[in-house]
mmCIF file of all heavy atoms in Angstrom:
data_model
loop_
_atom_site.group_PDB
_atom_site.id
_atom_site.type_symbol
_atom_site.label_atom_id
_atom_site.label_comp_id
_atom_site.label_asym_id
_atom_site.label_seq_id
_atom_site.Cartn_x
_atom_site.Cartn_y
_atom_site.Cartn_z
ATOM 1 N N GLY A 214 151.478 72.224 108.274
ATOM 2 C CA GLY A 214 151.721 72.677 106.955
ATOM 3 C C GLY A 214 150.528 72.259 106.018
ATOM 4 O O GLY A 214 149.538 71.730 106.545
ATOM 5 N N GLU A 215 150.718 72.410 104.736
ATOM 6 C CA GLU A 215 149.638 72.032 103.823
ATOM 7 C C GLU A 215 149.279 70.587 103.884
ATOM 8 O O GLU A 215 148.132 70.189 103.649
ATOM 9 C CB GLU A 215 149.993 72.362 102.392
ATOM 10 C CG GLU A 215 149.965 73.891 102.130
ATOM 11 C CD GLU A 215 150.189 74.263 100.704
ATOM 12 O OE1 GLU A 215 150.523 73.334 99.909
ATOM 13 O OE2 GLU A 215 150.121 75.449 100.403
ATOM 14 N N ASP A 216 150.254 69.741 104.249
ATOM 15 C CA ASP A 216 149.990 68.294 104.273
ATOM 16 C C ASP A 216 149.114 67.892 105.412
ATOM 17 O O ASP A 216 148.754 66.711 105.606
ATOM 18 C CB ASP A 216 151.247 67.465 104.214
ATOM 19 C CG ASP A 216 152.149 67.682 105.436
ATOM 20 O OD1 ASP A 216 151.851 68.548 106.251
ATOM 21 O OD2 ASP A 216 153.167 66.954 105.540
ATOM 22 N N PHE A 217 148.765 68.830 106.350
ATOM 23 C CA PHE A 217 147.789 68.535 107.390
ATOM 24 C C PHE A 217 146.410 68.482 106.838
ATOM 25 O O PHE A 217 145.513 67.887 107.394
ATOM 26 C CB PHE A 217 147.850 69.603 108.486
ATOM 27 C CG PHE A 217 147.023 69.423 109.686
ATOM 28 C CD1 PHE A 217 147.382 68.474 110.662
ATOM 29 C CD2 PHE A 217 145.757 70.008 109.813
ATOM 30 C CE1 PHE A 217 146.594 68.253 111.737
ATOM 31 C CE2 PHE A 217 144.961 69.810 110.922
ATOM 32 C CZ PHE A 217 145.374 68.888 111.896
ATOM 33 N N PHE A 218 146.243 69.042 105.606
ATOM 34 C CA PHE A 218 144.898 69.178 105.050
ATOM 35 C C PHE A 218 144.794 68.218 103.783
ATOM 36 O O PHE A 218 145.801 67.718 103.280
ATOM 37 C CB PHE A 218 144.648 70.660 104.640
ATOM 38 C CG PHE A 218 144.771 71.555 105.784
ATOM 39 C CD1 PHE A 218 145.869 72.377 105.935
ATOM 40 C CD2 PHE A 218 143.736 71.649 106.741
ATOM 41 C CE1 PHE A 218 145.948 73.220 106.995
ATOM 42 C CE2 PHE A 218 143.842 72.471 107.810
ATOM 43 C CZ PHE A 218 144.922 73.290 107.945
ATOM 44 N N VAL A 219 143.549 68.115 103.299
ATOM 45 C CA VAL A 219 143.348 67.332 102.040
ATOM 46 C C VAL A 219 144.185 67.891 100.959
ATOM 47 O O VAL A 219 144.125 69.084 100.662
ATOM 48 C CB VAL A 219 141.843 67.338 101.685
ATOM 49 C CG1 VAL A 219 141.691 66.726 100.283
ATOM 50 C CG2 VAL A 219 140.982 66.587 102.697
ATOM 51 N N GLN A 220 144.925 66.978 100.288
ATOM 52 C CA GLN A 220 145.725 67.399 99.138
ATOM 53 C C GLN A 220 145.270 66.421 98.012
ATOM 54 O O GLN A 220 145.208 65.215 98.229
ATOM 55 C CB GLN A 220 147.171 67.176 99.336
ATOM 56 C CG GLN A 220 147.778 67.907 100.512
ATOM 57 C CD GLN A 220 147.807 69.414 100.307
ATOM 58 O OE1 GLN A 220 148.317 69.890 99.315
ATOM 59 N NE2 GLN A 220 147.173 70.137 101.195
ATOM 60 N N MET A 221 145.051 66.930 96.863
ATOM 61 C CA MET A 221 144.669 65.988 95.776
ATOM 62 C C MET A 221 145.021 66.494 94.350
ATOM 63 O O MET A 221 145.070 67.686 94.155
ATOM 64 C CB MET A 221 143.153 65.630 95.861
ATOM 65 C CG MET A 221 142.245 66.767 95.531
ATOM 66 S SD MET A 221 140.586 66.134 95.548
ATOM 67 C CE MET A 221 139.762 67.725 95.347
ATOM 68 N N GLU A 222 145.110 65.506 93.479
ATOM 69 C CA GLU A 222 145.303 65.795 92.079
ATOM 70 C C GLU A 222 143.862 65.739 91.482
ATOM 71 O O GLU A 222 143.471 64.635 91.070
ATOM 72 C CB GLU A 222 146.197 64.766 91.405
ATOM 73 C CG GLU A 222 147.610 64.695 91.968
ATOM 74 C CD GLU A 222 148.500 65.880 91.632
ATOM 75 O OE1 GLU A 222 148.165 66.511 90.574
ATOM 76 O OE2 GLU A 222 149.390 66.232 92.334
ATOM 77 N N GLY A 223 143.188 66.883 91.456
ATOM 78 C CA GLY A 223 141.750 66.904 91.128
ATOM 79 C C GLY A 223 141.371 66.190 89.834
ATOM 80 O O GLY A 223 140.490 65.396 89.829
ATOM 81 N N ARG A 224 142.141 66.408 88.784
ATOM 82 C CA ARG A 224 141.777 65.853 87.511
ATOM 83 C C ARG A 224 141.971 64.350 87.468
ATOM 84 O O ARG A 224 141.109 63.612 86.872
ATOM 85 C CB ARG A 224 142.603 66.489 86.338
ATOM 86 C CG ARG A 224 142.189 67.917 86.175
ATOM 87 C CD ARG A 224 142.583 68.511 84.925
ATOM 88 N NE ARG A 224 141.893 69.761 84.720
ATOM 89 C CZ ARG A 224 141.933 70.515 83.617
ATOM 90 N NH1 ARG A 224 142.596 70.041 82.571
ATOM 91 N NH2 ARG A 224 141.284 71.649 83.617
ATOM 92 N N GLU A 225 143.059 63.889 88.096
ATOM 93 C CA GLU A 225 143.352 62.451 88.138
ATOM 94 C C GLU A 225 142.265 61.727 89.002
ATOM 95 O O GLU A 225 141.737 60.678 88.650
ATOM 96 C CB GLU A 225 144.718 62.197 88.767
ATOM 97 C CG GLU A 225 145.821 62.442 87.840
ATOM 98 C CD GLU A 225 145.781 61.521 86.602
ATOM 99 O OE1 GLU A 225 145.630 60.347 86.746
ATOM 100 O OE2 GLU A 225 145.757 62.081 85.445
ATOM 101 N N VAL A 226 141.934 62.346 90.163
ATOM 102 C CA VAL A 226 140.925 61.822 91.018
ATOM 103 C C VAL A 226 139.574 61.693 90.228
ATOM 104 O O VAL A 226 138.843 60.639 90.273
ATOM 105 C CB VAL A 226 140.641 62.675 92.275
ATOM 106 C CG1 VAL A 226 139.486 62.165 93.105
ATOM 107 C CG2 VAL A 226 141.935 62.682 93.143
ATOM 108 N N PHE A 227 139.266 62.732 89.482
ATOM 109 C CA PHE A 227 138.044 62.793 88.726
ATOM 110 C C PHE A 227 137.977 61.573 87.773
ATOM 111 O O PHE A 227 136.976 60.838 87.734
ATOM 112 C CB PHE A 227 138.047 64.106 87.898
ATOM 113 C CG PHE A 227 136.721 64.402 87.237
ATOM 114 C CD1 PHE A 227 136.022 65.581 87.652
ATOM 115 C CD2 PHE A 227 136.218 63.663 86.180
ATOM 116 C CE1 PHE A 227 134.826 65.886 87.035
ATOM 117 C CE2 PHE A 227 135.086 63.960 85.602
ATOM 118 C CZ PHE A 227 134.345 65.074 86.020
ATOM 119 N N LYS A 228 139.055 61.377 87.008
ATOM 120 C CA LYS A 228 139.121 60.302 86.043
ATOM 121 C C LYS A 228 138.918 58.878 86.670
ATOM 122 O O LYS A 228 138.136 58.131 86.226
ATOM 123 C CB LYS A 228 140.453 60.262 85.307
ATOM 124 C CG LYS A 228 140.474 61.107 84.036
ATOM 125 C CD LYS A 228 141.724 60.819 83.202
ATOM 126 C CE LYS A 228 142.998 60.865 83.963
ATOM 127 N NZ LYS A 228 144.288 61.089 83.318
ATOM 128 N N HIS A 229 139.712 58.667 87.701
ATOM 129 C CA HIS A 229 139.624 57.382 88.387
ATOM 130 C C HIS A 229 138.277 57.150 89.010
ATOM 131 O O HIS A 229 137.761 56.059 89.078
ATOM 132 C CB HIS A 229 140.731 57.256 89.456
ATOM 133 C CG HIS A 229 142.068 56.989 88.824
ATOM 134 N ND1 HIS A 229 142.462 55.803 88.324
ATOM 135 C CD2 HIS A 229 143.120 57.819 88.677
ATOM 136 C CE1 HIS A 229 143.684 55.846 87.847
ATOM 137 N NE2 HIS A 229 144.087 57.111 88.077
#
Side-chain angles (χ1 to χ4, degrees):
E215 286 187 354
D216 65 352
F217 185 78
F218 302 104
V219 170
Q220 304 290 307
M221 68 176 173
E222 301 287 335
R224 291 199 171 186
E225 284 300 308
V226 173
F227 192 115
K228 268 193 311 203
H229 285 285

